[in-house]
Amino acid sequence: MPEKKKKKKRRISVRNLSGLFSWNIGTIIFGAIFVYIIISFFLYLTADHITSYTVTAGPLAQNPTFQALVLRSEELVQADADGYIHQYVRENTKVKKDGILYAVGDKEEETPAGEVELTEEMLSQLRSRMAGFSYNFSPDNFYDTYNFKYELQGTMLQYASDEGELSQLLGDQTVGKAPVDGTVLYTTDSYEDLTEEDLTMDAFNQKAYEVTSLQQHSRVSAGDPVCRMITSEKWSLYIPLTDKQTVQLAPNKSMRVKFLKDGETQVGAFSILTIGGQRYGRITFSNGMFRYSNDRFLEVELVTNTQTGLKIPVSSVVDKEF
């Protein structure tokens, strides 16, 4: 019988095995760092994360805001005759009683013609007005140039206080004068005659609120409104109140109001009224009317919460183990 071939056995030396696995100090350190990174990454994914906040000082409670209705002492000035009206006072300008407001004539374009003798004081006032207009002039509001022109004409007419001089300058035009001291506005909104006693919730409906411009150089009839005059610096804000708000605000006798239109604040006398079964908060001021003379509604914030501090979010972690 033939002899079986013996299988050759492969011999692996210890020297060759050590070549496959080089266990030096660098490999051990790298392996330890790699395991550490894997564990740290896993812990980061499964741990609760801390969120940072920027905390600033401010009021600890929010102040209530309202849409307030503005009531003032106002009077409509009506045309004295039929014809083309020429207005000589810039809007938001104060005029004394019997000051010239407008003139009504038969011609659509009719400019005062003649000479007025001016004193040094009058010339100084005119120069000051011209310098102020030039400093504040913007090409984007070029129409102000025409308003300033009519204002200068009105000023010249004021200087011509003598009736004979007025007749020389204006000819056959009818001169309209201010019935009282006041600030001139060229809008009307039918709220001029609204009084506190007649106040209803319908007056706060801004969707139905309409404003009509009176600043025009067109034909008018006798009795037509030509401007509106605010005759007092005293003015009031009215705010509808709920039962809860009435209880919260009742202890206050004065109220600091922040006007959100321009960020200004002002303190006024505060009281609560009941008119027709509805409660209203009334805040009365003795100055500052000029800033909001054209506004019938103002968004205001009642500054009742004055305590300030750091406002920390509820979700913030106060302390944590590391």
Side-chain angles (χ1 to χ4, degrees), residues 262-280:
D262 54 11
E264 294 290 332
T265 59
Q266 193 169 339
V267 178
F270 179 77
S271 58
I272 295 178
L273 311 173
T274 302
I275 304 172
Q278 170 66 44
R279 292 188 180 89
Y280 300 93

Side-chain angles (χ1 to χ4, degrees), residues 173-187:
Q173 297 184 70
T174 301
V175 178
K177 297 184 178 181
V180 292
D181 297 346
T183 301
V184 176
L185 298 174
Y186 290 114
T187 57

